[in-house]
């Protein structure tokens, strides 16, 4: 065999093939992407209108000191987008020019504090690529839910935004007897169970909830704007939906249930980790109490 042919064959046999993400630009919404300054690479999808600011009741929260609490308003007008400054300390700029109100066209650069954001349209290859990279960085591949790192970052943001101003609920759940499922039916079947749990959370967690896979068979659902009653109701809905799953392996049913711990933000909470630890502790109390149940706790204990 010729040396070149042999080298080509060996290269072909040992090359790791990386499948490129499906970009599908026609399915991507308009978005703003941070292209300079803090949070570079962050992508924010746009609806008909969005208030951009540092904290409080805003749609796009940038959380940087250079950004005013309510900095600017981006909205649809005559088939395109416009932006108006909301009296920001660091004035809003479009393509470097200070504006009070201005059209915002595809490719324009919007300066908000120390951040520069670029407007990308639905058919922009750049939009599709940024979205694909964002999905790879923030989503769990098996379930399609937020991955641990992204979930914890969003929980920190929700905690900071709501302290003293609003409610935040947190649900933590763990699949019951998951080791037995893997041992009895095999790891591929276990992966199908985890994917099915992800599907249930996506379908039944109400907006603006953020469901995530924390690791292994443990999941969580962040519930901005939810107090005790609403958070417990969400958990019960999820518990019932999981129990109703009809999964099988070669005709043998795979029972799927989960145990749930639920808590809500309290005035004394000093960090988001306190919220998570409390819900996680409630989850294991639910396990010890018999599994397939929901337990709500406060800082004082079970309620």
């Amino acid at each position: 065999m010729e040396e070149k042919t042999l080298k080509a064959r060996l290269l072909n046999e040992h090359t790791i093939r990386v499948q490129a993400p499906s970009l599908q630009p026609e399915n991507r919404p308009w978005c703003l992407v941070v292209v300079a300054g803090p949070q570079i690479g962050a992508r924010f999808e746009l609806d008909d209108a969005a208030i951009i600011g540092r904290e409080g009741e805003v749609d796009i929260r940038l959380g940087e000191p250079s950004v005013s609490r309510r900095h600017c308003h981006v909205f649809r007008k005559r088939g395109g987008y416009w932006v108006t400054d909301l009296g920001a300390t660091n004035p809003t700029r479009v393509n470097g020019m200070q504006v009070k109100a201005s059209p915002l066209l595809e490719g324009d650069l919007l300066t908000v504090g120390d951040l520069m954001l670029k407007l990308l349209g639905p058919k922009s290859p750049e939009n599709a690529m940024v979205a694909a990279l964002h999905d790879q960085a923030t989503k769990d591949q098996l379930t399609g839910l937020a991955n641990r790192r992204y979930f914890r970052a969003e929980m920190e943001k929700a905690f900071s935004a709501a302290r003293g101003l609003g409610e935040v609920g947190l649900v933590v759940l763990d699949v019951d007897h998951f080791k037995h499922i893997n041992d009895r039916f095999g790891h591929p079947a276990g992966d199908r169970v985890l994917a099915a749990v992800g599907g249930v959370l996506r379908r039944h967690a109400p907006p603006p909830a953020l469901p995530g896979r924390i690791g292994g068979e443990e999941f969580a659902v962040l519930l901005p704007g939810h107090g005790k009653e609403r958070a417990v109701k969400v958990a019960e809905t999820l518990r019932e939906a999981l129990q109703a799953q009809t999964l099988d392996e070669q005709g043998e049913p795979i029972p799927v249930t989960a145990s749930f711990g639920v808590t809500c933000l309290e005035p004394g909470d000093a960090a988001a980790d306190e919220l998570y630890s409390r819900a996680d502790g409630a989850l294991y109390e639910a396990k010890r109490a018999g599994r397939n149940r929901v337990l709500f706790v406060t800082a004082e204990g079970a309620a």
Side-chain angles (χ1 to χ4, degrees):
M1 182 179 296
E2 294 184 5
E3 184 179 356
K4 289 184 178 179
T5 303
L6 177 60
K7 286 182 178 179
R9 178 178 174 182
L10 291 174
L11 181 62
N12 185 58
E13 289 175 351
H14 295 282
T15 297
I16 298 174
R17 301 177 186 275
V18 179
Q19 184 176 1
S22 176
L23 301 183
Q24 300 179 359
E26 68 277 6
N27 295 328
R28 302 292 181 181
W30 286 84
C31 72
L32 287 166
V33 176
V34 180
V35 295
Q39 303 181 44
I40 188 168
R43 177 178 180 273
F44 304 97
E45 294 185 356
L46 289 174
D47 293 320
D48 288 340
I51 300 294
I52 300 175
R54 185 180 70 247
E55 61 185 23
E57 296 182 1
V58 296
D59 303 295
I60 296 178
R61 184 175 293 109
L62 298 178
E64 298 293 332
S66 61
V67 178
S68 294
R69 191 169 181 271
R70 288 168 57 88
H71 199 104
C72 60
H73 182 206
V74 176
F75 55 95
R76 282 191 184 276
K77 183 178 180 181
R78 299 172 189 157
Y81 278 98
W82 278 63
V83 59
T84 58
D85 184 83
L86 297 178
T89 302
N90 294 315
T92 304
R93 297 177 181 273
V94 174
N95 298 325
M97 300 294 293
Q98 182 176 331
V99 298
K100 291 294 184 182
S102 169
L104 193 61
L105 307 178
E106 182 169 4
D108 279 351
L109 297 175
L110 174 66
T111 301
V112 179
D114 292 337
L115 292 87
M116 184 179 290
L117 301 95
K118 187 175 184 178
L119 180 66
L120 299 176
K123 296 184 179 181
S124 164
E126 192 175 355
N127 186 343
M129 181 58 71
V130 170
L133 293 173
H134 182 268
D135 286 351
Q136 290 179 355
T138 61
K139 288 188 178 180
D140 174 66
Q141 292 185 353
L142 179 61
T143 63
L145 303 179
N147 61 25
R148 176 188 177 90
R149 181 178 178 181
Y150 183 66
F151 184 90
R152 296 303 290 260
E154 290 301 301
M155 186 173 70
E156 292 282 356
K157 290 180 184 178
F159 176 83
S160 297
R163 284 186 67 182
L165 297 173
E167 298 178 314
V168 177
L170 181 66
V171 176
V172 179
L173 61 140
D174 189 90
V175 180
D176 294 329
H177 303 296
F178 188 69
K179 183 178 184 302
H180 172 74
I181 293 173
N182 274 333
D183 292 344
R184 175 71 183 85
F185 299 100
H187 288 278
D191 285 348
R192 287 203 298 119
V193 168
L194 296 177
V197 173
V200 167
L201 298 189
R202 286 197 306 274
R203 291 191 299 272
H204 294 279
L210 175 69
R213 184 186 178 196
I214 306 306
E217 64 272 26
E218 184 168 317
F219 298 79
V221 183
L222 181 66
L223 296 168
H226 283 58
K228 175 184 176 180
E229 290 186 7
R230 293 179 68 196
V232 169
K233 184 177 180 181
V234 169
E236 285 288 0
T237 298
L238 295 174
R239 187 193 66 79
E240 293 173 1
L242 285 174
Q243 188 173 357
Q245 289 282 292
T246 54
L247 299 177
D248 69 87
E249 180 66 21
Q250 296 182 352
E252 184 176 352
I254 304 176
V256 180
T257 63
S259 301
F260 293 76
V262 186
T263 194
C264 290
L265 181 67
E266 297 184 14
D269 289 333
D273 280 343
E274 292 185 21
L275 194 68
Y276 196 93
S277 295
R278 194 160 62 239
D280 200 44
L283 157 65
Y284 284 98
E285 287 296 327
K287 292 268 190 190
R288 285 190 283 269
R291 296 182 172 85
N292 190 25
R293 62 192 63 210
V294 173
L295 181 64
F296 180 86
V297 294
T298 68
E300 304 300 322

